[in-house]
Amino acid sequence: EESPDSASPKPGEGPAASSSKVVEESKPYGINCLVEIFAFLTSLVSIEDVTDSEESCIYGLSMIRVALEAGLADFSLFPELMNVIRDDLMSNMMRIALIPNLAILSMVCSIAFLLYTHLRSFLRLQFEAFVTNVLLRISDGEYVSYEQQEIALESLVAFSRHPTFMVDLYANLDCSIDRGNVFEAVCNLLSKNTFPSNSQLASTHLLSLEGLLAIFNNLLERSKQQVEFKPKEFKDPSESSDAVWLPPPTSDFVSWAEQMKYKKYLKRRIDVGVDHFNRDPKKGFQFLQSINLLPQELTPESVARFLYTARGLSKNVVGELLGDPKEFYLKVLDYFVTLFDFKGMSFDHAIRRYLESFFLPGEAQKIGRILEAFSKRYYAQCPGIFANADAAYVLSYSLLMLHTDQHNDQVKKKMTVEEFIRNNRKINDGEDLPEEMLVDLYKSIATYEIRIQADGNKFDLSHAQWVDIVKRSGTPQGILVSCTMQPVFDYDMFALIWGPTIASISVVFDQAEDESIVQYTIDGFLSVAHLASVLHFCDAIDNLVISLCKFITSLTPKASESDAFIEDSKAMLALVTMFCIVNQYGDCVRNGWRSVIDCILKLHRLHLLPNKVTDMEEVRNTLRHSNSRSMNFNKNANLQTTILQSVSSFFSSDSAKEEEVKSPEMEEAEKRITTYIESCHIEEIFTESKFLEAESLKHLVSALIWSAGETPKGIANSEEEEERALLCLDLLISTTIKNRDRFHLLWSDTFNHLKSIIDSATLLSPLVEKGVFGLLRICQRLVPYKEDVADELLRSLSLILKLDAKVADILAAQLFAELLHLVKGSPDRIQTEFCWRTFSAILRVGAHHLEASPAGFEILEIFVHGAEIKEENLVPLLDAVQAFIEGHAGGEDQSMKAMDQLMNVVSKVKAWPASDKLFGYWVKAVNVAKQACTDSRPQVRNHACVMLQQILLSSYSMGHTGEQWGDVMKNVVLATVNTLVTHVKKRKQQEYPDMDKTARIAVLMLSKAFLQFLPSLADLECFSDIWLELLSILDLCNSCSSEELSEAVPEALKNMILVMATEGILHPGWTDSKNINLWNVTWQRARSTSPNLEPGMLKQYTG
């Protein structure tokens, strides 16, 4: 829209104002001539009416471009020339760029690029206006031709390629509290333009993508400086200060850059406050006060500064507050108007600039107060025009009424200029204002409506706003601080651009049919991934991976495994690209691991997953019957090279898609697919996971567990779910083993997953089997290597005990073979009582299993011989030994060998220091042998009696007290012999064959034990009871009618009597506490045993 001529702004002060005077004085054609010529050329670049031709405009643009190319940066030496560029040239260029002439638009864009390249430091606000109101407006494509949009996008791409243009926009505009987010708007527009509306790619879509990737390439170039990127965490101000709203000094670039980054943080916080303010001003103020952007006690100055500076405020709300009659808001209005600089501005421009900053409220009194404040300010800053402020007030009100009259459609009879002049007579302190001034005001108001930029309108720029821009260009606010190649703002810029860029690349990749375009998008994916890894932007890598995976997981299985990829070649390209990114930048992958695992599972369902993934060494043979699919692959491939080759290969094989019969081309395509998948090195994700960052590794493990799905008690709902769970479990086990140095990071999740599979499993399934042996495989690999984790790992074996008996029975043979392998590799790692009890419980189960028993017994032997017998493991070991003694699975030989192991245990226990506790443990071992003496198998019983005798006789030196030996005699020796003799008496020959032979051995054991313990027993009060019980048992033996016993008992009794007589224990006066003569009782029982046993045999001892 055409605008009224502006008053020429005052010349700005340049860096070489004094030198320009020297040039002017020393040469006949000085700066004034140059300014006049350049101003004339600029005047050609304007189409004010129909008499101005587009040809002259093009001519003027051509000459201006020549002049700029000749002068380059030297224009900045002359403030007069810069004033022409800042105002007339930029203003005219912005207006003519919007006319539908492609040549003019192209030349305007090229001149703007020249101006940025050489004079950008002086054109900060002008370039904000040009980018926003020309490039973005035309590139948006609304209300312009396709060709215009294409030229504007080409210009944006050219600007984007410039190393500093985008970072200059971001640092100088997006980070400024009072300026718009121009860089963000450019990126969003380019991203939006890449999405085809009719599903066909056009040049505008590709240009937009090119612009986005050009920005990325500049960021990538700066990232090569090896700067460590650590985003600073900003905090809200500790106290309110006006400095928040003011630009920082530009003398030191590093300091300025840091402050601008902080301004960007505050800008985001202010935007939140603005959102609250537009809905409820009170809540908006409260929020800004809570973060110290406004003082805790609001002041008129702080509120006015906020209303003047903050962008995005509702102009209706601002107008209502400024017109509020409360005393506080009256002061706000007074301070608000002082923030405007009306110096040198015409009354028309000043009131337009003022009224365009808010919507006038509807009440006349409010309008009056607002106009009165303006009038006072204008009168104070522009003396000589009005006699007093009242005159300015009356005229401003009159102009407002004229504006309503001229631009309200309901007013049929419009005010004439004469009427306007008549209405304003004698208002200047009784004098008339100049008629020429009133006529100009009338024409301006009647012709050009005061347009208030509506909330959210991003393209409208009024002439009053342009005058304000030109005016501020000569101040520090107009200076653009050009950013160097230091990547100071790159992290923040990347945070804004990566999302739209990835979405744009994805849509173009999806729609592209041309090979070069597809390759361009893949290069874009890799560039974004590289930069994201340099900046350690994990969200971007995740988004990239997820975007690429969407092209893969949508595939459906075909009759042939490769058909799915042949029909969708882009899925193959996406697959290779995705795995290239994951393998190179896996440290930055977080939630993206879930999509990666989904792709691996997809390949598995299509039977295309390489054998190197499904048959990793760490999980090999964890199923008793392997049905893994084997494939042969080439081991050497470069991912980047493969991607480059894959594009042309797939596009050259399109003809094969149409053939129903598998042709040589189809077979060749299948071979390429196999090669490409193998070149992805999928297995390295897991085999090389030990090099991943801890956070990435944790997410990988979580993704495997999540992808496995829920399988309560190890039962999947379908075969497909089971295959998925099995593969995920394999990969989880392999990853855990590979990361043995970071065991504690992963074990909790891994163990809980294994527990969910194994715990309470009632049916055997491949998943349960894999879980059990996977757990054992982890223990086998990590227990010997990591002493500090051995206990925690071995504790986990308690899960095996929770298996259902039927399931455990099926797995027992292989389970004990794996346990034997574990124990052989680390016999000294079992330390705690819990672990010993766990192993003992497992061994007790194996002792009764025919196939598992040999391996179980070998484990027991390793424990007995290799382990140090301590309090923590004695009882568990004894329990295990007893189980193998009693178990029939290993035969009689194994049971007898188990008793030998019992003897070995006792031998080690005997070395312990004497104590009551030691006696208790020793008795437990003795009781194991005692229990074995009643075994149903003759050889086992007999061997047990011999072992019990050896244990008793060899242990006498342990230092037990007489009372303790008395207990052993009664509760072990006598009880054992009595039980055996009772079985003989009851003739339980079928149940206990050859029991009389065992009883004979027991009687001999009784005799030897009694004689061994006699010195300790003789002084006991209960000795007489022990002796009487012994005699009763021997009487019982005589009543059994057993040849074995009839031979053994007399001899045993004779030996005991002789020794007792020799020791002086047995004599005629021997009585017990009840005055029973034990001498008489002994001989009475002896005679019943054998007639040869008479007191006379002792004459030589008794006299």
Side-chain angles (χ1 to χ4, degrees), residues 211-229:
L212 285 172
L213 293 181
I215 300 172
F216 262 98
N217 289 335
N218 286 327
L219 295 176
L220 267 175
E221 193 64 30
R222 287 195 291 273
S223 71
K224 296 177 182 179
Q225 299 183 35
Q226 303 298 324
V227 177
E228 186 175 358
F229 293 94

Side-chain angles (χ1 to χ4, degrees), residues 44 78 97 198 210 239 262 325 408 488 591 605 632 634 651 678 736 883 917 964-965 977 1086:
L44 296 177
F78 304 98
N198 55 0
E210 186 179 353
E239 60 181 10
Y262 184 52
N408 191 332
V488 180
N591 295 327
R605 288 195 296 273
N632 296 320
N634 177 23
F651 277 94
E678 189 263 340
T736 303
K917 185 179 291 187
Q964 291 173 336
W965 284 119
V977 177

